[in-house]
Amino acid sequence: MIFRNARLEDLKLMCELWNEVVTEEYFLKTMSVDAYEEKLLNNPDFSYDSTFVVYDEEEFLGFVASKKDDDIENCWYLDSLHINKACRGKGIGTKLIKKVGQYAMHQGYEHMSICIVKGNDNAKNIYERLGAVHYKDFIDDFGGTKSNSQKLIWKDLSIFS
């Protein structure tokens, strides 16, 4: 498996996977893949430096995108983590989370956070197993669809070194 920073040629695959996951798992209406790609490219928080992809030879397996957390001081936010459905349970997501944790630590951040929809117990269990703890509950808005969500935080990034 190859883990590396995302490149322009990865964006279409990232957007396709994001669209598939969001519509199937969260039952949300999403924009077209092309519209999402354009939105991502125009997002000032998007950076190839803090977005990582994973491939098995030529097969795209997943990605993780991250940015500065605007809610918590000195905290990096794990914004999107999506793994191809057929590849889940093989440790790929865990490796991507660790990659982002290491990136955040090297950038000088002390903490890392992630938000999940309440009821997504599989994700919550993985994050907690990796050291995340509950930070707060809140109502999130996914393009007009409201959801009960929660924010988890890794208080000490040294666990990723």
Side-chain angles (χ1 to χ4, degrees):
M1 272 185 247
I2 299 168
F3 293 83
R4 62 166 171 76
N5 287 91
R7 301 178 190 143
L8 180 60
E9 60 265 22
D10 300 313
L11 285 183
K12 182 75 74 184
L13 294 170
M14 289 168 52
C15 293
E16 288 171 356
L17 180 58
W18 181 87
N19 202 6
E20 176 185 314
V21 168
V22 170
T23 53
E24 285 182 14
E25 294 183 13
Y26 302 117
F27 309 106
L28 301 175
K29 182 179 178 185
T30 61
M31 61 186 77
S32 73
V33 171
D34 290 336
Y36 182 70
E37 183 177 2
E38 185 175 326
K39 181 180 177 182
L40 190 61
L41 287 172
N42 291 323
N43 182 344
D45 289 329
F46 176 74
S47 167
Y48 290 110
D49 289 342
S50 60
T51 303
F52 303 97
V53 295
V54 59
Y55 283 83
D56 184 9
E57 296 185 23
E58 297 296 316
E59 182 185 6
F60 179 72
L61 304 181
F63 74 96
V64 62
S66 59
K67 63 181 185 173
K68 182 184 178 299
D69 189 314
D70 295 327
D71 187 38
I72 304 171
E73 188 175 326
N74 206 12
C75 188
W76 195 250
Y77 179 62
L78 200 157
D79 187 39
S80 294
L81 172 65
H82 300 295
I83 307 300
N84 182 315
K85 202 174 200 177
C87 302
R88 293 184 189 158
K90 298 179 181 176
I92 296 168
T94 297
K95 289 177 183 172
L96 286 171
I97 292 166
K98 289 178 179 179
K99 189 138 186 85
V100 172
Q102 291 167 355
Y103 174 85
M105 189 172 54
H106 291 297
Q107 297 301 310
Y109 288 89
E110 293 178 10
H111 319 289
M112 184 169 73
S113 64
I114 189 165
C115 294
I116 59 172
V117 175
K118 278 193 161 188
N120 187 352
D121 293 334
N122 288 338
K124 182 181 179 190
N125 291 337
I126 291 168
Y127 303 143
E128 287 178 341
R129 191 185 73 224
L130 293 172
V133 295
H134 184 268
Y135 179 73
K136 72 176 183 178
D137 294 326
F138 66 102
I139 304 293
D140 207 351
D141 187 330
F142 291 100
T145 301
K146 303 239 186 267
S147 71
N148 290 316
S149 297
Q150 59 187 308
K151 190 169 205 172
L152 304 173
I153 186 170
W154 285 270
K155 293 182 178 180
D156 181 7
L157 295 181
S158 68
I159 64 171
F160 297 117
S161 52

